[in-house]
Amino acid sequence: MSREQPTETVLRADAMLTPEGPVANAELAFDARGRISYAGKARPGVSASHELTGHVLMPGLVNGHTHSAMTLLRGVSDDEGFMPWLAAVQALEQHLGHEDVVAGLELALVEMIETGTTAFADMYHWDETLIERVRASGMRALVAPASFAPETVGFPGVSPWTGADATAETERLAERFRGDPQIRVAYGPHAPYTCPPEFLRELAARAVERGIPIHTHVSESAAEVEQIRERYGATPGEHLDALGLFAAEVLAAHCVHLTPGEISLFARTGTAVSHNPVSNLKLGCGIAPLPEWQRAGLRVSLGTDSVASNNSLDLFEEIKTATILHRGARQDAAIVRAADVLDIATRGGAAAIGFAETGALEVGRLADVIALDVTGSAATPFDPAALVSHLGFAARGADVRHVFIGGRHVYADGAHLTLDAAAIRERAAAAAARLRAQAAA
């Protein structure tokens, strides 16, 4: 008796971005398990499940570093430098409750999905309730419960957890969600300037022993680098290396001020980095050396950071900024290519945060795919052969009309299918207003 084959979903669009380059008159098919079974030219005689004329297909975007719940702090301290900004944000965070974190996270999920992000790496307060919100949305996430020191309570209004408690909870969550296709769990020591060396050394050993990754901030600002040099007589990367951190799987956010020696260290140890150009520019932190990272072969992702330091979770803004920023700074229009940045924002980011089966539209991978409208003024005239140019320099998150994650349709023609977006926006706005009133009292 023959076994029934899984039913295919077939998307047909004007063009599609594949690892081999753009395909015009494109077709993407995936089976009931969400695995891509065909990616190429439209096949004669094959019926489309979704006839997306006027659209293009590309892999879902991957946000390599953010703090989702901080959507409630959008617009806080917009014209301050890094350290004053951080103080203003932390003052507001002291008024957060658990329901505020839920509201902020859900608002971020809404914004990320509707701008084409399908997976993200996050450091903040994380517990099982919050993780289940991500799973229900359909998104993928590398979640890192933030910690500062063994005895320090990170978010007193949200949870009584100390750093030691967050470590124990990280390990419990990592075991609980081991093998989950949507969720990975990481330790989240905030940064070398907020975490004592003995705590970082312990986490490094535990990470190696248990196979749990680490997500942390490294060399975000010049002030941080100077502070670490004064305390420990080393750069942040050298300091963390001496503590054994890079023996583990590490995702290092920002890395604006890495030295050539640190870049070599990160390349040698396979340490992944997250480039967050808009946040780094807005806070006056500087410009990360992306061309040097690329030449050294670093594993690179693209991130927004939180909306408190960016104001948007639209990765298309990061893609364009990351491409043109380095061209202008180095006075070399060929130093960073749009195709490379698009790869960082998709395949590279997916690999960096641990979802290597996603990130590209090719047979065998999971179908994390987004469809963008190309009928608007900014896409006219549209040439399928120039798809990379359009996606790198003209596309916006607002152009996203459909999102599939693992073959699951989560956003259809501008409507959320897994989230009540209107109710989430209303709850988040009310929570943010209450936080600011409390902070002002």
Side-chain angles (χ1 to χ4, degrees):
M1 185 173 176
S2 64
R3 205 171 163 185
E4 187 176 341
Q5 293 299 310
T7 303
E8 274 194 329
T9 298
V10 178
L11 314 182
R12 192 165 290 131
D14 294 6
M16 175 170 63
L17 184 64
T18 74
E20 289 72 40
V23 174
N25 186 25
E27 182 180 309
L28 183 79
F30 48 86
D31 62 27
R33 301 165 299 169
R35 293 273 176 189
I36 296 173
S37 51
Y38 178 80
K41 287 277 189 184
R43 296 170 292 183
V46 175
S47 298
S49 312
H50 300 274
E51 192 68 64
L52 300 174
T53 303
H55 293 72
V56 297
L57 304 177
M58 70 173 291
L61 301 176
V62 178
N63 192 333
H65 175 69
T66 190
H67 309 279
S68 300
M70 291 176 72
T71 50
L72 299 189
L73 306 183
R74 197 189 312 263
V76 170
S77 190
D78 275 339
D79 296 311
E80 297 284 354
F82 178 66
M83 289 301 181
W85 166 85
L86 186 61
V89 165
Q90 289 177 336
L92 271 174
E93 285 179 319
Q94 298 309 302
H95 299 283
L96 283 173
H98 191 272
E99 285 306 306
D100 298 320
V101 174
V102 172
L105 167 63
E106 290 193 323
L107 180 60
L109 297 175
V110 166
E111 184 176 351
M112 284 192 282
I113 287 173
E114 63 193 20
T115 54
T117 295
T118 54
F120 63 103
D122 194 281
M123 179 201 296
Y124 211 65
H125 174 80
W126 281 97
D127 55 32
E128 198 158 339
T129 298
L130 294 162
I131 290 173
E132 290 298 344
R133 302 297 175 110
V134 176
R135 293 183 76 250
S137 76
M139 291 192 76
R140 305 184 199 278
L142 171 67
V143 303
S147 57
F148 300 89
E151 69 284 354
T152 300
V153 178
F155 303 95
V158 179
S159 163
W161 292 355
T162 62
D165 296 328
T167 299
E169 187 64 12
T170 296
E171 292 166 0
R172 188 190 73 80
L173 291 170
E175 187 58 35
R176 163 72 179 80
F177 291 99
R178 191 176 299 280
D180 191 294
Q182 289 178 242
I183 301 296
R184 298 186 76 218
V185 180
Y187 296 107
H190 176 261
Y193 67 93
T194 53
C195 296
E198 53 276 12
F199 183 50
L200 291 168
R201 182 180 284 110
E202 178 191 354
L203 286 182
R206 297 174 84 102
V208 170
E209 179 185 352
R210 292 165 172 78
I212 297 173
I214 293 172
H215 184 180
T216 190
H217 300 86
V218 178
S219 297
E220 183 172 2
S221 70
E224 170 195 339
V225 174
E226 184 57 32
Q227 192 177 94
I228 296 300
R229 283 187 184 276
E230 288 179 0
R231 284 186 192 174
Y232 308 113
T235 65
E238 293 166 345
H239 172 60
L240 294 174
D241 186 41
L243 298 173
L245 206 79
F246 300 123
E249 177 190 344
V250 174
L251 173 62
H254 301 294
C255 301
V256 175
H257 300 281
L258 292 189
T259 65
E262 288 174 313
I263 293 172
S264 296
L265 168 67
F266 283 27
R268 187 170 66 252
T269 56
T271 297
V273 297
S274 177
H275 186 29
N276 304 274
V278 173
S279 172
N280 296 153
L281 289 171
K282 183 176 179 241
L283 293 177
C285 288
I287 300 172
L290 176 62
E292 284 73 20
W293 294 355
Q294 291 177 299
R295 283 198 293 270
L298 261 62
R299 301 169 61 224
V300 184
S301 65
L302 193 65
T304 60
D305 205 3
S306 79
V307 299
S309 63
N310 183 317
N311 301 58
S312 166
L313 293 172
D314 185 349
L315 274 169
F316 283 100
E317 183 178 54
E318 305 291 338
I319 290 167
K320 182 173 182 176
T321 302
T323 306
I324 64 176
L325 169 64
H326 305 282
R327 296 180 179 199
R330 309 294 180 94
Q331 299 182 51
D332 180 355
I335 197 164
V336 174
R337 302 186 313 152
D340 294 334
V341 178
L342 285 165
D343 187 63
I344 288 170
T346 53
R347 184 204 55 80
I353 73 170
F355 295 106
E357 289 191 286
T358 70
L361 302 185
E362 59 184 358
V363 173
R365 293 198 186 233
L366 290 168
D368 290 11
V369 54
I370 61 178
L372 285 77
D373 187 326
V374 288
T375 63
S377 300
T380 303
F382 178 70
D383 177 4
L387 179 59
V388 168
S389 173
H390 174 71
L391 295 176
F393 299 110
R396 301 171 302 154
D399 299 334
V400 174
R401 305 309 294 164
H402 294 269
V403 176
F404 296 83
I405 306 177
R408 181 184 181 186
H409 206 174
V410 302
Y411 190 63
D413 200 23
H416 288 270
L417 303 181
T418 60
L419 296 164
D420 186 342
I424 287 169
R425 292 188 191 102
E426 184 177 349
R427 285 195 298 271
R434 181 183 52 74
L435 277 176
R436 297 193 187 204
Q438 286 179 325

